[in-house]
C-alpha cells in the first residue's frame, strides 16, 4: 500500500510541474511587447535582374531576360560605386594586404645614379719642348708616377737654347751704351724658349751657357701620359708629358633619360664609395654634358668633388645621390609600389573601407625616393593598397573593372568602348546554330548563381569539337546587340578543372 501511494504522489507531482511550466510560458508570451513579436523586415524597393540592373520590376518572379529569379533591392542598402568590389575582412587579412595613406607635399627632384671618378681635366698641364732637341735622360720613367712641383722630369740637349744663352751673356757683358733694351729682349727670349727664372739666374751667376736644360714639373700631380723615351729627337712644340692634378676630381654620373629634367648645375651631391665604406663625400653638379648615350639612354652629369687628401683616384666606382630643390606646387604622393602599370594606363587599388576596394585610374608624375607624384585621380587622405593588388584582382574578380580602365581615351561614348570580359564554367545543354545553351556555375563577378544561359558563338571562335553534355570553360562579353557573346571556349577535362 505504501508503494502504491508513493507512485500516485509521484505522478501527481509531474502533472502539476508540467502544467505550471506551460502556464508560465503562455503568460510570458502574452506579456511580451508587441514590438518584439516579430523581427522588423527590410522594405523591398523593387526587383531586378543582375544581368540587366537598369530594368526594375514591381513584383517578384522570373526574369524575362534570363533563366533566373529576380533579385530584391532593399531600402537602406548602401549603393556600390562603379568598379567597387567587396571582400570579406578575413580574406583581406589572409591575403596580407598592406595599405598606406596618400599625402600631399612638395616633391623633391631626387636622383640616384652611379658614376666613375676621373681626373679634373681643367688642372691638366702638358709639358712640351719649346725648341728642337734630344732627350738625354728621363727622370720619370713610368706613367702614373706621382710628382711634386719643380721636380726634375727630363734633361734635354737643345742647341737653340745654348745659342740663346750665349747671345744673352754676350750682351750682358758688353759695356756699350743703349744696350739695355736689347739685353732685356734677349732675356725675354730665354723665357719664351722655356727656361725658368731660376735657370736664367743660374746662367747669369755662372757666366756661361748650359748645353743641357733640365725640364721640371710645373705643378704637383700624376704623370698621366709619358710620350718620349731616352734618346728621342723632338721638334719644337712636341708634347713630352701630361700631368693631372688630384686636388679636385670629377665624378661622371650616368643620369637616366627620364630623370634628366631633375638635374641642374649647382645641385648638391652626396657620394658613397665602396672603397671607403661609411664615409660620405660632398660635391656639386658642374654641368650636364650635351651628349646622350644612345645605347644606355643616359646623359652624363659632371660632378666636381674636392679631394684634399687625394684618396680618390680615377676609375673608382661611386653611388651618387643628387638632391635638387623642392617643387613649387604641392602634389599628392603615394608609395611607388602602389602603382600598377597596365600598359596605356596607371591604376591603383583604393581601400574604400568596410572591405570595399575599387580600381582607380591615376595620372602620375615624377618618382623619387620610393614615392610617386599623382597629378590626377587621388585626393589627400585616400588609402591605397601596397601589396596584394593582384590577389585582390583574382579573389574579387576585378578583371572586368581593370579592363574597363584599360581602354584608350579616344573621346568615344561608353557604348563604343570595349566591354568587360567575364569568365565562367558550365555544361553545354543544347546547340542551335550559333546559339549555345549552357548551364553555368555561379558567376561571382556578376553576383549570379547557377543557371542556364543563352550565348552567341561567332564563327571566328573555334569550338574544337565541343558538343552537348561537355563541361567547358569560357569567357564572354555583352555585344552591341545586348546579347552575351562567347569570346573564348575550351573543354574541361573529366573530373573538374585542371
Amino acid at each position: 500500500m505504501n508503494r502504491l501511494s508513493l507512485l500516485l504522489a509521484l505522478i501527481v507531482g509531474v502533472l502539476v510541474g508540467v502544467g505550471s511550466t506551460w502556464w508560465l510560458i503562455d503568460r510570458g508570451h502574452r506579456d511580451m511587447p508587441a514590438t518584439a513579436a516579430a523581427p522588423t523586415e527590410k522594405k523591398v524597393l523593387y526587383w531586378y535582374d543582375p544581368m540587366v540592373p537598369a530594368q526594375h520590376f514591381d513584383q517578384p518572379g522570373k526574369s524575362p531576360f534570363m533563366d533566373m529569379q529576380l533579385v530584391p533591392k532593399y531600402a537602406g542598402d548602401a549603393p556600390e560605386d562603379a568598379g567597387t568590389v567587396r571582400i570579406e575582412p578575413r580574406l583581406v587579412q589572409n591575403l596580407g594586404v598592406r595599405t598606406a595613406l596618400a599625402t600631399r607635399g612638395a616633391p623633391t627632384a631626387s636622383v640616384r645614379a652611379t658614376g666613375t671618378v676621373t681626373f679634373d681635366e681643367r688642372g691638366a698641364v702638358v709639358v712640351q719642348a719649346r725648341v728642337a732637341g734630344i732627350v738625354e735622360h728621363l727622370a720619370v720613367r713610368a706613367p702614373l708616377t706621382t710628382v711634386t712641383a719643380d721636380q726634375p722630369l727630363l734633361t734635354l740637349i737643345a742647341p737653340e737654347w745654348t745659342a740663346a744663352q750665349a747671345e744673352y751673356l754676350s750682351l750682358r757683358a758688353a759695356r756699350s751704351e743703349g744696350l739695355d733694351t736689347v739685353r732685356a729682349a734677349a732675356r725675354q727670349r730665354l723665357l719664351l724658349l722655356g727656361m725658368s727664372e731660376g735657370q736664367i739666374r743660374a746662367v747669369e751667376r755662372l757666366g756661361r751657357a748650359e748645353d743641357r736644360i733640365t725640364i721640371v714639373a710645373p705643378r704637383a700631380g700624376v704623370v698621366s701620359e709619358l710620350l718620349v723615351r731616352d734618346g728621342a729627337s723632338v721638334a719644337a712644340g712636341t708634347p713630352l708629358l701630361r700631368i693631372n692634378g688630384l686636388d679636385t676630381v670629377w665624378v661622371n654620373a650616368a643620369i637616366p633619360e627620364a630623370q634628366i629634367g631633375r638635374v641642374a648645375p649647382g645641385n648638391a651631391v652626396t657620394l658613397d664609395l665602396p672603397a671607403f665604406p661609411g664615409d660620405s663625400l660632398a660635391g656639386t653638379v658642374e654641368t650636364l654634358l650635351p651628349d646622350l648615350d644612345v645605347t644606355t639612354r643616359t646623359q652624363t652629369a659632371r660632378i666636381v668633388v674636392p679631394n684634399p687628401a687625394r684618396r680618390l683616384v680615377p676609375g673608382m666606382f661611386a653611388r651618387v645621390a643628387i638632391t635638387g630643390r623642392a617643387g613649387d606646387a604641392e602634389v599628392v604622393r603615394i608609395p611607388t609600389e602602389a602603382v600598377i602599370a597596365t600598359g596605356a594606363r596607371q591604376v591603383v587599388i583604393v581601400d574604400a573601407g568596410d572591405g570595399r576596394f575599387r580600381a582607380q585610374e591615376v595620372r602620375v608624375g615624377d618618382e623619387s625616393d620610393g614615392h610617386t607624384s599623382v597629378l590626377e585621380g587621388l585626393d589627400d587622405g585616400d588609402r591605397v593598397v601596397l601589396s596584394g593588388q593582384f590577389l585582390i584582382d583574382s579573389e574579387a574578380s576585378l578583371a572586368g573593372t581593370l579592363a574597363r580602365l584599360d581602354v584608350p581615351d579616344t573621346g568615344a561614348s561608353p557604348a563604343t568602348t570595349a566591354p568587360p570580359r567575364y569568365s565562367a564554367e558550365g555544361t553545354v545543354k543544347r546547340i542551335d546554330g550559333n546559339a549555345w545553351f549552357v548551364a553555368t556555375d555561379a558567376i561571382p563577378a556578376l553576383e549570379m548563381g547557377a543557371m542556364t544561359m543563352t550565348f552567341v558563338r561567332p564563327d571566328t571562335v573555334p569550338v574544337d569539337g565541343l558538343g552537348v553534355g561537355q563541361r567547358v570553360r569560357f569567357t564572354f562579353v555583352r555585344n552591341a546587340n545586348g546579347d552575351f557573346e562567347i569570346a573564348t571556349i575550351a573543354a574541361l577535362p573529366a573530373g573538374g578543372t585542371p
Side-chain angles (χ1 to χ4, degrees):
M1 187 65 180
N2 291 335
R3 295 177 60 187
L4 181 59
S5 300
L6 181 61
L7 181 60
L8 290 175
L10 180 60
I11 293 173
V12 171
V14 171
L15 293 175
V16 170
V18 171
S20 299
T21 302
W22 182 261
W23 179 79
L24 290 174
I25 292 174
D26 182 65
R27 182 173 180 177
H29 279 293
R30 290 199 306 269
D31 294 341
M32 186 177 297
T35 56
T40 302
E41 296 183 358
K42 289 185 178 181
K43 180 182 178 181
V44 178
L45 298 178
Y46 55 86
W47 283 263
Y48 68 98
D49 185 338
M51 300 299 295
V52 191
Q55 185 69 41
H56 299 171
F57 300 91
D58 296 330
Q59 299 294 332
K62 193 171 183 178
S63 170
F65 308 105
M66 305 296 299
D67 183 16
M68 63 177 294
Q69 295 296 318
L70 298 175
V71 177
K73 177 67 175 180
Y74 294 103
D77 285 354
E80 297 289 345
D81 297 333
T84 300
V85 295
R86 186 184 298 274
I87 305 178
E88 291 293 333
R90 177 182 57 81
L91 183 57
V92 172
Q93 183 177 5
N94 290 341
L95 294 177
V97 174
R98 295 185 296 109
T99 61
L101 287 176
T103 57
R104 184 173 294 276
T108 56
S110 165
V111 175
R112 294 188 178 274
T114 58
T116 304
V117 178
T118 64
F119 285 120
D120 182 350
E121 294 297 333
R122 293 171 307 179
V125 175
V126 176
V127 179
Q128 62 184 17
R130 301 290 182 89
V131 295
I134 299 173
V135 178
E136 183 183 42
H137 173 69
L138 277 174
V140 176
R141 310 190 66 84
L144 300 181
T145 300
T146 302
V147 297
T148 59
D150 297 326
Q151 176 180 332
L153 300 176
L154 56 87
T155 300
L156 191 66
I157 301 175
E160 189 174 348
W161 267 337
T162 304
Q165 294 175 55
E167 180 182 353
Y168 170 65
L169 290 174
S170 298
L171 291 172
R172 191 168 183 271
R175 300 301 179 188
S176 302
E177 295 182 0
L179 296 178
D180 293 342
T181 302
V182 179
R183 292 191 192 97
R187 193 175 194 280
Q188 183 64 28
R189 182 187 177 196
L190 294 178
L191 292 173
L192 294 176
L193 291 175
M195 294 184 65
S196 66
E197 282 286 350
Q199 290 172 330
I200 294 175
R201 285 195 296 269
V203 170
E204 293 173 345
R205 185 174 62 253
L206 294 174
R208 58 181 176 83
E210 294 286 344
D211 56 356
R212 291 172 175 79
I213 299 298
T214 300
I215 298 178
V216 299
R219 63 158 300 166
V222 176
V223 177
S224 56
E225 290 184 277
L226 181 58
L227 305 173
V228 294
R229 289 296 176 182
D230 290 342
S233 297
V234 295
T238 300
L240 305 175
L241 304 97
R242 180 185 179 89
I243 300 176
N244 286 89
L246 287 174
D247 296 330
T248 61
V249 294
W250 287 345
V251 174
N252 291 330
I255 308 300
E257 184 177 5
Q259 300 180 357
I260 292 174
R262 307 178 194 174
V263 181
N267 286 157
V269 180
T270 302
L271 301 99
D272 294 316
L273 289 88
F276 310 107
D279 291 349
S280 293
L281 304 178
T284 306
V285 176
E286 181 182 66
T287 186
L288 276 170
L289 302 186
D291 180 51
L292 186 74
D293 190 319
V294 296
T295 303
T296 61
R297 307 306 305 175
T298 59
Q299 187 172 1
T300 299
R302 178 181 292 165
I303 302 166
V304 178
V305 182
N307 188 31
R310 300 183 180 179
R311 297 193 302 168
L312 306 184
V313 296
M316 281 186 173
F317 176 80
R319 290 183 290 269
V320 178
I322 304 174
T323 303
R325 66 181 183 87
D328 296 330
E330 292 189 345
V331 295
V332 175
R333 292 172 60 77
I334 61 174
T336 301
E337 58 185 319
V339 180
I340 305 172
T342 65
R345 309 278 180 166
Q346 283 78 37
V347 177
V348 298
I349 304 297
V350 178
D351 184 354
D354 298 328
R356 294 179 297 120
F357 298 88
R358 74 173 188 274
Q360 176 66 48
E361 179 188 347
V362 294
R363 186 165 68 91
V364 300
D366 284 342
E367 185 274 327
S368 62
D369 295 332
H371 284 74
T372 296
S373 300
V374 179
L375 306 181
E376 291 180 4
L378 287 180
D379 294 324
D380 186 15
D382 286 346
R383 185 169 291 276
V384 297
V385 177
L386 303 183
S387 64
Q389 300 102 315
F390 296 101
L391 293 175
I392 291 175
D393 176 25
S394 175
E395 294 293 334
S397 301
L398 276 175
T401 301
L402 295 178
R404 286 193 294 273
L405 292 176
D406 199 20
V407 178
D409 186 8
T410 59
S413 63
T416 62
T417 58
R421 179 177 294 194
Y422 305 97
S423 300
E425 296 180 3
T427 304
V428 179
K429 292 297 186 182
R430 183 161 61 93
I431 301 175
D432 187 2
N434 286 342
W436 285 52
F437 299 85
V438 182
T440 65
D441 299 341
I443 307 176
L446 296 176
E447 299 181 357
M448 293 176 53
M451 67 183 72
T452 299
M453 300 174 60
T454 303
F455 298 91
V456 176
R457 184 192 67 81
D459 294 335
T460 56
V461 177
V463 295
D464 297 329
L466 296 177
V468 176
Q470 283 187 291
R471 289 280 296 172
V472 294
R473 172 182 292 158
F474 60 99
T475 61
F476 64 95
V477 298
R478 186 185 287 275
N479 60 22
N481 298 326
D483 299 325
F484 292 105
E485 182 178 296
I486 296 175
T488 61
I489 187 169
L492 286 173
T497 59

